[in-house]
Amino acid sequence: MDTALFTPKEAPLFNSNQQRNVKEAMEMQSINQPQNSHTSTSISSDSIELPSASGKWAPRLLLECARAISENDSGKIHLLLWRLNELASPYGDCDQKLASYFLQALFCKATDSGQRCYETLAAVAEKRHSFDSARKLILKFQEVSPWMTFGHVASNGAILEAFEGETKLHIIDISNTLCTQWPILLEALATRNDETPHLKLTVVDTASTVRSVVMNEVGQRMQKFARLMGVPFEFNVISGLYHLGELTKEGLGVQEDEAIAVNCIGALRKVEVEERGAIIRMFQSLRPRVVTVVEEEADFSSSRDDFVKCFEECLKFYTLYFEMLEESFFPTSNDRLTLERECSRNIVRVLACDDGNGTEGDSERRERGSQWSERLKEAFSPVGFTDDVMDDVKSLLKRYRAGWGLLLPQGDRESGIHLTWKEEPLVWASAWKP
Amino acid sequence: MLENMAEEELPNGFVQNTIAESNPPVANKKKRSLPGTPDPEAEVIALSPKTLMATNRFLCEICGKGFQRDQNLQLHRRGHNLPWKLKLRSVKEPRKRVYVCPEKTCVHHHPSRALGDLTGIKKHFCRKHGEKKWKCEKCSKRYAVQSDWKAHSKTCGTREYKCDCGTIFSRRDSFITHRAFCDALAEETARMNAVSNMNNAVAGNINHHFMGIPLGPNMAQHLPSIFKPNVSSDGIINPTTRELSLWTGQGSQGHEVMSTSNLQGIHQLGPCLGAMFADPFVSCANPPPSEYHLNLVFGTKLSSSSTEELSSTTSLPLSDVKETGTQLCVPSLYSTQHQSHQTPSANMSATALLQKAAQIGATSTEPSFLGSFRLKFNADSQVQDGNKLCGLYGSNTLITNIGNNAEESGGELSQIHPAKRRSTLNEDGAGGRTRDFLGVGVQPICHPSSINGWISS
């Protein structure tokens, strides 16, 4: 069995015993072919049919495997894992890729090696991570897809509105977008009709130390750029936090005369589910003018006790994401490959790792906009985006390829806007005030 | 008609002052005077906002019906069967009329800064003090005057931005974000320092001419005003000129195509530039302002050759462009904010900018945001830039001048970016082949590629 698929440096994850088992299972299967086997409940000739040219085989096989795992049906598990492995490839089409990355998670779940696998993947990624590579990747992604820029435009719009007339601005940025949101905002501030306000940007970085090297570089660029724009600017990075709950008003350097904005892009999902309420209350204590929250629209949290359901959600979301990547990037793009690999870590984390296992701020359990809204409504009230901001968002989407759309909140209980890809909502952007 | 009304004060707000009785000005070929410095002997008319914006200015004295145009009014009057005497309009040669802006806080409210054209004052009032009802679809930019909006819509999305590192962008937001992270940023800061003094000296004229290169540190704030029509307080200069100053023609993939489209672009620029140069406001007369945008024009041309080389060597960039073909639109994401706030800022004079510059202090390193465009500030280089000027007006010599200028600019570039070239050479084994005639590697630090600036690696 090809084990090099999973982790380049690890020992084969299937030991030789397991390999024999699989082989035996296959042989048994071929012997039993003429009659339906009764030894395993759902293995029939149907479930291991060859993938047809049409039809998406990956979701089907993957779900079958997930079910088998939740039922603890080891024979079936082995079979399906083997089958998937045969068909999967991170370099193939969408199905093959999904099969590849989800197979890894399934395997880790089955062998209870999720934590180790995740840490390995994270370590490998860290080694490859550099300012140049991160910058290149993120800028390229923003160029071909509005995935990130949607949230940026909406958030910047809300922040600028909330900061109207203020002269001392302090933005607390907890994002995963390496400050690519801020140049546009700096430019907008520089061109305000009144005195250009002073902006203090405090970036909270919950990742490991390697990343702080990158953040330093980012900070320098931001400072230079602000100087270029003629905006009085101050940049701070808070790193090495175990998790966001440790943030305090003093720790953030919040001063009384400042107008505060809290900007969370892809940040809240990194907080462990049980602690999310506390984090929101902490934001409230900062007394911000506006809190902007941008998250990916998927629910991995309410189903976290139900493996199959969570798996389904995960599969659905990442299928859309991978398809989106495939259509946005150039076919042989390395950048896309890198983004896909990042997903693999997240998938393993959500599906194969237990929560609260001591891994730093990287829960990855997404929630839908409506769920976040419920949480945020405890401390804040929603602010609608103004027409100007909405127009900006619409113009933004026009600058990209077809397929992207905008979904406005339906009904009173909803808040925030959604970015849709082929009519499916994928990213949620919202603004809140105390 | 209007003469008759001149004699009395009408309830609808016509109030007139007379500066001086005088001979009417020469009737043939009126020279355009400085914007906002009216003929001292002209009659100053102050209209109320309501009257100014009234669509039916021409009223029939018989029945009071209003018309938008004088010709329509005359046509109507014929229907009244007037006796011959009254049929003719008053013979008295109309005195030259100038108009003041009804807005008290406006600089043009004072008669000494009145504007000479009724249409002009209407547009001015709308732009500066009016509600911006017209909005560009692509970039959300707002305009108060419909003609400004139309003019913008024509060019929206066709602009190109070039970064120092050589990458070209069709989208402004991508350009800004890239610029902020570009390695070229550091070098730019150092270079701009050297010329900042000279720039400040000519800053006074920049605001009016808007050639697109901000000189003070807060000139950046005027940057987007490149894209807006109502940059200076005079209504005379066609807003399109400002837009076109950065407009370098359609993005294209081949040198040939680029040159034709640029030629067109330049021809279009020509008359506008002509207007600007004829305008004695540029009395300080330094080509620097004009150079900037000429350089912008050339900048893209120069880079186009590199694009061409790229296109021939790899097929990726072209197909990249095809795939991302919809990314044409350009202007500011926050243009609406700009627009709603820029009205006063455009009024901010150069002195205010310099004050800001002093205030920011350390920003004497003020690099122009658009420093990405090759700028030649030095007085010494005026000769070579003079070439460019000639190139502009003597349109046929355009292409050849590019060649000349390229040599010089190439030299300059090579001085400034020797480090970059070395590094790109190391990265790219085929270095020699992909250099353009500027002598600069086509693949600078930020790994640009096609028009859109991206190679999939």
Side-chain angles (χ1 to χ4, degrees):
Chain A
M1 195 159 175
D2 179 20
T3 57
L5 179 70
F6 300 124
T7 49
K9 297 175 189 163
E10 283 283 290
L13 296 173
F14 259 135
N15 60 29
S16 46
N17 279 341
Q18 287 170 311
Q19 279 175 333
R20 271 206 302 279
N21 285 343
V22 170
K23 251 187 143 185
E24 282 167 23
M26 278 311 295
E27 281 162 43
M28 266 174 57
Q29 199 53 41
S30 52
I31 291 170
N32 290 335
Q33 203 65 16
Q35 23 173 237
N36 275 341
S37 161
H38 295 294
T39 51
S40 41
T41 45
S42 50
I43 291 188
S44 63
S45 47
D46 293 325
S47 68
I48 45 170
E49 73 198 36
L50 291 169
S52 47
S54 65
K56 304 248 166 200
W57 51 268
R60 203 164 21 88
L61 279 179
L62 289 167
L63 271 171
E64 284 248 23
C65 193
R67 285 196 201 102
I69 288 177
S70 79
E71 291 161 9
N72 236 327
D73 184 344
S74 57
K76 191 172 163 203
I77 294 173
H78 278 134
L79 203 59
L80 287 167
L81 285 178
W82 182 87
R83 198 77 186 125
L84 281 164
N85 194 42
E86 286 286 296
L87 300 166
S89 164
Y91 306 109
D93 64 9
C94 249
D95 265 318
Q96 288 173 296
K97 283 181 201 160
L98 286 167
S100 168
Y101 295 118
F102 275 92
L103 172 58
Q104 178 178 29
L106 286 169
F107 184 81
C108 291
K109 177 76 175 176
T111 56
D112 212 19
S113 54
Q115 192 58 35
R116 195 163 38 108
C117 178
Y118 177 77
E119 282 164 12
T120 312
L121 289 172
V124 167
E126 286 290 339
K127 287 215 181 80
R128 291 201 210 117
H129 195 63
S130 74
F131 171 71
D132 271 338
S133 67
R135 168 185 66 181
K136 184 165 169 282
L137 178 67
I138 219 174
L139 288 182
K140 179 64 165 162
F141 187 33
Q142 291 179 359
E143 179 87 13
V144 301
S145 163
W147 189 272
M148 286 179 172
T149 46
F150 169 79
H152 287 175
V153 170
S155 299
N156 281 347
I159 291 174
L160 282 166
E161 296 269 332
F163 276 168
E164 185 77 30
E166 297 286 343
T167 49
K168 276 196 78 178
L169 316 178
H170 186 175
I171 297 180
I172 298 172
D173 182 22
I174 317 173
S175 316
N176 59 356
T177 53
L178 284 191
C179 291
T180 47
Q181 177 177 358
W182 306 121
I184 298 278
L185 185 96
L186 281 168
E187 197 235 358
L189 287 177
T191 54
R192 258 164 57 148
N193 59 328
D194 48 2
E195 288 283 308
T196 306
H198 179 279
L199 174 66
K200 183 158 84 177
L201 183 63
T202 302
V203 175
V204 178
D205 182 26
T206 52
S208 69
T209 46
V210 174
R211 194 158 150 127
S212 63
V213 168
V214 172
M215 282 317 295
N216 275 337
E217 188 66 39
V218 168
Q220 282 177 23
R221 305 285 162 131
M222 284 293 106
Q223 268 160 344
K224 285 204 185 100
F225 187 74
R227 225 173 18 245
L228 184 73
M229 287 285 105
V231 177
F233 185 68
E234 192 185 323
F235 183 85
N236 297 312
V237 177
I238 297 181
S239 56
L241 278 187
Y242 185 63
H243 63 80
L244 290 181
E246 294 175 13
L247 285 174
T248 58
K249 206 166 175 175
E250 299 73 36
L252 286 165
V254 167
Q255 280 154 18
E256 289 309 316
D257 57 344
E258 291 173 335
I260 311 282
V262 181
N263 183 72
C264 298
I265 308 226
L268 290 181
R269 66 169 178 261
K270 298 212 182 269
V271 177
E272 294 293 340
V273 178
E274 299 77 28
E275 292 165 17
R276 289 174 183 178
I279 296 292
I280 289 171
R281 280 191 296 279
M282 187 271 289
F283 289 157
Q284 187 184 29
S285 72
L286 302 173
R287 282 188 285 148
R289 301 297 164 105
V290 66
V291 177
T292 49
V293 179
V294 176
E295 278 295 337
E296 292 170 2
E297 182 82 0
D299 181 9
F300 301 161
S301 97
S302 65
S303 55
R304 63 190 187 278
D305 295 323
D306 178 346
F307 178 71
V308 176
K309 188 142 187 305
C310 193
F311 188 89
E312 270 178 320
E313 281 289 321
C314 217
L315 186 59
K316 186 169 142 216
F317 176 74
Y318 282 104
T319 303
L320 283 166
Y321 185 68
F322 273 59
E323 279 173 8
M324 182 275 295
L325 287 182
E326 185 162 287
E327 292 196 28
S328 303
F329 278 94
F330 202 69
T332 57
S333 163
N334 267 347
D335 292 318
R336 190 187 58 183
L337 198 59
T338 315
L339 287 169
E340 288 163 356
R341 281 205 202 107
E342 277 182 22
C343 292
S344 76
R345 271 202 320 280
N346 296 338
I347 295 171
V348 168
R349 179 70 176 81
V350 171
L351 294 176
C353 298
D354 297 327
D355 291 334
N357 241 2
T359 36
E360 300 179 6
D362 50 7
S363 153
E364 297 296 338
R365 286 212 180 267
R366 292 158 171 76
E367 287 181 17
R368 295 193 192 280
S370 48
Q371 291 165 284
W372 291 117
S373 292
E374 292 295 317
R375 293 188 189 275
L376 287 159
K377 275 183 184 152
E378 307 267 330
F380 298 98
S381 54
V383 175
F385 293 107
T386 60
D387 285 339
D388 283 349
V389 177
M390 291 306 293
D391 283 339
D392 278 340
V393 172
K394 285 175 196 157
S395 321
L396 175 79
L397 294 186
K398 283 194 201 130
R399 296 200 274 274
Y400 289 96
R401 303 172 81 169
W404 296 101
L406 187 60
L407 191 60
L408 298 172
Q410 326 271 318
D412 294 327
R413 286 186 50 232
E414 308 244 333
S415 51
I417 53 179
H418 284 97
L419 172 70
T420 65
W421 162 251
K422 299 203 169 151
E423 312 289 318
E424 293 286 341
L426 287 179
V427 180
W428 175 71
S430 63
W432 303 82
K433 65 171 191 268
Chain B
M1 182 63 217
L2 287 173
E3 281 75 22
N4 292 340
M5 292 163 82
E7 258 57 73
E8 53 203 3
E9 200 172 312
L10 293 178
N12 62 355
F14 272 74
V15 172
Q16 296 178 353
N17 310 323
T18 316
I19 293 184
E21 288 290 334
S22 66
N23 300 325
V26 177
N28 45 2
K29 193 81 176 186
K30 292 188 181 161
K31 268 200 307 199
R32 256 195 171 183
S33 54
L34 288 174
T37 55
D39 179 356
E41 295 165 5
E43 183 182 355
V44 179
I45 303 187
L47 302 171
S48 75
K50 187 158 149 274
T51 328
L52 191 60
M53 301 312 299
T55 45
N56 300 337
R57 287 187 296 113
F58 298 93
L59 294 173
C60 172
E61 70 261 32
I62 316 273
C63 62
K65 196 159 168 190
F67 296 89
Q68 278 204 352
R69 287 199 190 85
D70 189 45
Q71 302 95 302
N72 301 354
L73 170 64
Q74 295 313 315
L75 221 64
H76 158 85
R77 281 173 89 233
R78 279 192 222 155
H80 283 304
N81 296 320
L82 300 167
W84 185 85
K85 224 180 179 185
L86 291 175
K87 217 184 241 185
L88 294 175
R89 302 188 64 183
S90 169
V91 196
K92 172 184 163 203
E93 175 95 25
R95 271 218 304 264
K96 168 133 177 71
R97 296 192 133 84
V98 291
Y99 301 88
V100 288
C101 178
E103 174 63 32
K104 290 190 186 59
T105 59
C106 184
V107 109
H108 290 292
H109 184 65
H110 196 271
S112 66
R113 298 294 306 278
L115 301 175
D117 187 57
L118 181 58
T119 316
I121 193 77
K122 280 168 79 171
K123 283 195 174 167
H124 155 82
F125 182 69
C126 274
R127 282 188 199 127
K128 287 291 172 54
H129 315 295
E131 183 206 335
K132 298 192 156 104
K133 296 183 288 194
W134 303 93
K135 194 161 182 183
C136 172
E137 271 184 356
K138 291 187 199 141
C139 66
S140 307
K141 208 161 169 186
R142 283 210 148 116
Y143 295 92
V145 180
Q146 187 182 15
S147 53
D148 295 345
W149 170 76
K150 273 193 182 162
H152 165 84
S153 299
K154 282 192 195 147
T155 63
C156 185
T158 59
R159 244 184 307 266
E160 284 201 334
Y161 305 86
K162 179 168 173 275
C163 179
D164 267 344
C165 65
T167 325
I168 304 175
F169 296 88
S170 58
R171 280 172 50 191
R172 188 162 183 267
D173 50 342
S174 316
F175 172 55
I176 292 175
T177 315
H178 164 89
R179 191 83 175 79
F181 286 92
C182 185
D183 297 324
L185 192 60
E187 318 241 343
E188 195 57 41
T189 322
R191 207 158 62 82
M192 288 308 126
N193 234 341
V195 292
S196 61
N197 296 332
M198 171 161 172
N199 295 343
N200 286 339
V202 298
N205 288 312
I206 302 302
N207 193 30
H208 297 286
H209 291 284
F210 240 81
M211 297 289 196
I213 303 302
L215 297 184
N218 275 350
M219 280 284 191
Q221 122 185 37
H222 284 255
L223 260 200
S225 31
I226 289 170
F227 310 127
K228 77 176 182 187
N230 52 335
V231 163
S232 71
S233 40
D234 53 79
I236 292 179
I237 293 185
N238 189 335
T240 353
T241 58
R242 300 180 204 289
E243 310 252 347
L244 290 177
S245 69
L246 257 194
W247 183 57
T248 54
Q250 323 296 330
S252 74
Q253 295 164 13
H255 189 64
E256 261 41 67
V257 180
M258 186 60 124
S259 35
T260 3
S261 60
N262 252 352
L263 248 185
Q264 288 164 4
I266 288 167
H267 278 283
Q268 274 169 292
L269 275 175
C272 304
L273 279 179
M276 285 195 274
F277 283 106
D279 188 338
F281 245 16
V282 201
S283 58
C284 172
N286 269 341
S290 53
E291 279 170 29
Y292 305 166
H293 81 236
L294 286 179
N295 283 324
L296 298 176
V297 172
F298 289 101
T300 319
K301 283 204 72 127
L302 294 174
S303 62
S304 73
S305 50
S306 56
T307 318
E308 186 214 4
E309 297 224 36
L310 256 179
S311 326
S312 56
T313 52
T314 52
S315 58
L316 278 179
L318 285 181
S319 35
D320 224 359
V321 171
K322 279 192 217 117
E323 287 189 26
T324 55
T326 51
Q327 298 179 27
L328 284 186
C329 187
V330 148
S332 165
L333 287 180
Y334 291 100
S335 50
T336 50
Q337 271 97 349
H338 296 159
Q339 278 306 329
S340 53
H341 301 317
Q342 266 166 352
T343 323
S345 82
N347 267 336
M348 239 175 109
S349 64
T351 29
L353 284 171
L354 290 172
Q355 279 166 3
K356 267 212 179 188
Q359 173 192 319
I360 306 281
T363 48
S364 55
T365 63
E366 40 102 6
S368 70
F369 178 66
L370 289 177
S372 55
F373 302 93
R374 294 283 109 208
L375 301 172
K376 298 185 178 51
F377 301 86
N378 307 325
D380 304 332
S381 59
Q382 267 190 22
V383 175
Q384 95 194 35
D385 299 309
N387 277 345
K388 287 188 186 171
L389 277 180
C390 295
L392 188 73
Y393 291 108
S395 45
N396 295 331
T397 54
L398 190 60
I399 311 276
T400 51
N401 277 340
I402 292 169
N404 296 339
N405 294 329
E407 300 303 319
E408 286 146 327
S409 59
E412 197 177 301
L413 275 174
S414 53
Q415 281 159 22
I416 290 166
H417 300 292
K420 282 186 195 173
R421 275 195 292 132
R422 264 181 255 124
S423 65
T424 55
L425 275 179
N426 292 336
E427 286 170 35
D428 174 17
R433 182 165 61 99
T434 53
R435 292 229 210 133
D436 64 2
F437 62 86
L438 291 180
V440 180
V442 162
Q443 291 162 354
I445 293 182
C446 302
H447 309 290
S449 63
S450 62
I451 301 280
N452 263 353
W454 297 103
I455 279 184
S456 331
S457 53

